[in-house]
Amino acid sequence: MHIMEHSMSQFDCLLFDLDDTLYPSSTGIATACRKNIDEFLVQVFGFSREIVSSLRTEFYKTNGSTLAGLRKLGYEVDADEYHRFVHGKLPYEVIKPDPALRSILMSMPQRKLIFTNSDKTHACKVLKRLGLEDCFEDVICFESLNMAYPFNQQTDECKPSTSPVFIKPSIEAMKRAITIANADPQRTLFFDDNVRNIAGAKEVGLNTVLVGSSVKYEGADYSLENIHNVREAIPEIWKETTKHIGCDKFGFSIDEVNFIEATPIVA
């Protein structure tokens, strides 16, 4: 006697970082971004060219981005202006369509969302270049985490250009993304190329995948050298389980069998 109890994959939501996760760093987009950030620091805030590279690196390490670092130091920075400057002149043409990745994503049965620190305009441009714009339910981005209701409530003393920035790897940003996605962390799989983001995601209970490394870091449940290896590395995404407990060989449950046995036979 056995029960046939059908259950889906252990994951029902997948969150994907964008840059250097869905396409390789070898495109040079990240390098171009860094150059544009350095130029932003020089042209807009008058920092010396001799120090902007190290300043940008320090902002990234301690605050997650240059924008967040500047705001933390008390500088007024318009987020839209910053993103236009940093992303406006990127060589997007180096990002090519990826039909193989599209096929993989479309075969995944779970809800799929982008979770990026970038602005939505940049995210949409990248997804369109990759040919993946219709593979995701939503894009959780800078605007979602910092400007969308209910996260955009400012005090009288706090202007948008000076308010704190919430982005990965901050725990608050992770929690906001989970809220926006309406996801159960224990049934959500998070893909990212940054070990600090992986650590932050793990702290809020997400299952984690480090992309771009074959070495498994602390906090990463899985490691992928390349996003295209996901099917081999994490077959659980596609796997459905069937449990057989407490049904007879005809598929009746225990209660149904007991009811049948107790029912008198009328000749």
Side-chain angles (χ1 to χ4, degrees):
M1 182 175 290
H2 62 277
I3 284 178
M4 183 174 288
E5 181 183 287
H6 185 73
S7 62
M8 298 297 290
S9 164
Q10 68 187 81
F11 310 116
D12 56 25
C13 183
L14 309 178
L15 296 178
F16 291 87
D17 175 50
L18 181 63
D19 300 300
D20 296 343
T21 294
L22 294 187
Y23 66 90
S25 59
S26 59
T27 58
I29 290 292
T31 300
C33 265
R34 289 192 287 268
K35 290 180 179 178
N36 291 347
I37 292 171
D38 289 352
E39 199 61 31
F40 180 84
L41 290 171
V42 171
Q43 292 189 25
V44 178
F45 288 99
F47 288 103
S48 167
R49 290 192 183 275
E50 286 71 31
I51 69 166
V52 290
S53 179
S54 58
L55 186 62
R56 166 181 47 77
T57 301
E58 185 61 25
F59 281 151
Y60 178 74
K61 287 181 178 178
T62 58
N63 301 279
S65 76
T66 297
L67 171 58
L70 288 169
R71 291 263 188 96
K72 191 171 183 180
L73 289 180
Y75 288 92
E76 286 195 29
V77 190
D78 182 87
D80 291 336
E81 178 187 0
Y82 173 82
H83 289 128
R84 279 194 300 270
F85 197 109
V86 172
H87 295 144
K89 298 178 181 179
L90 290 178
Y92 288 106
E93 66 276 6
V94 301
I95 301 175
K96 305 301 182 184
D98 192 340
L101 179 55
R102 176 182 174 82
S103 178
I104 293 170
L105 290 169
M106 295 300 279
S107 73
M108 294 172 168
Q110 295 85 356
R111 299 170 57 226
K112 293 173 288 291
L113 299 90
I114 293 293
F115 177 19
T116 176
N117 284 342
S118 298
D119 61 293
K120 191 163 188 176
T121 297
H122 169 76
C124 290
K125 285 181 179 179
V126 170
L127 289 173
K128 187 170 183 178
R129 291 294 307 177
L130 289 167
L132 306 178
E133 63 267 38
D134 60 341
C135 292
F136 299 94
E137 176 183 307
D138 198 4
V139 174
I140 301 171
C141 55
F142 181 88
E143 291 90 341
S144 312
L145 297 169
N146 294 276
M147 300 178 180
Y149 181 85
F151 306 129
N152 64 344
Q153 300 178 42
Q154 308 289 340
T155 64
D156 293 338
E157 298 81 16
C158 186
K159 297 187 294 183
S161 59
T162 60
S163 59
V165 171
F166 297 103
I167 54 174
K168 297 178 289 185
S170 81
I171 300 304
E172 178 61 25
M174 298 291 180
K175 290 179 178 178
R176 290 185 178 197
I178 291 169
T179 298
I180 294 167
N182 191 26
D184 175 357
Q186 294 183 347
R187 292 185 52 80
T188 300
L189 194 58
F190 170 69
F191 296 75
D192 203 291
D193 65 291
N194 185 293
V195 293
R196 292 170 64 234
N197 295 345
I198 290 294
K202 198 64 185 172
E203 192 167 337
V204 297
L206 291 166
N207 299 281
T208 55
V209 185
L210 179 63
V211 180
S213 174
S214 58
V215 179
K216 190 173 179 180
Y217 285 82
E218 183 178 357
D221 297 302
Y222 306 91
S223 293
L224 298 177
E225 194 165 355
N226 186 293
I227 190 65
H228 294 86
N229 301 334
V230 63
R231 189 183 290 273
E232 295 76 23
I234 319 176
E236 297 92 326
I237 291 174
W238 291 269
K239 188 179 297 182
E240 296 183 0
T241 58
T242 304
K243 297 180 181 179
H244 300 271
I245 309 170
C247 274
D248 76 351
K249 63 181 180 180
F250 299 107
F252 292 114
S253 72
I254 293 173
D255 288 342
E256 288 172 326
V257 170
N258 290 338
F259 175 80
I260 293 170
E261 291 177 346
T263 302
I265 299 175
V266 179

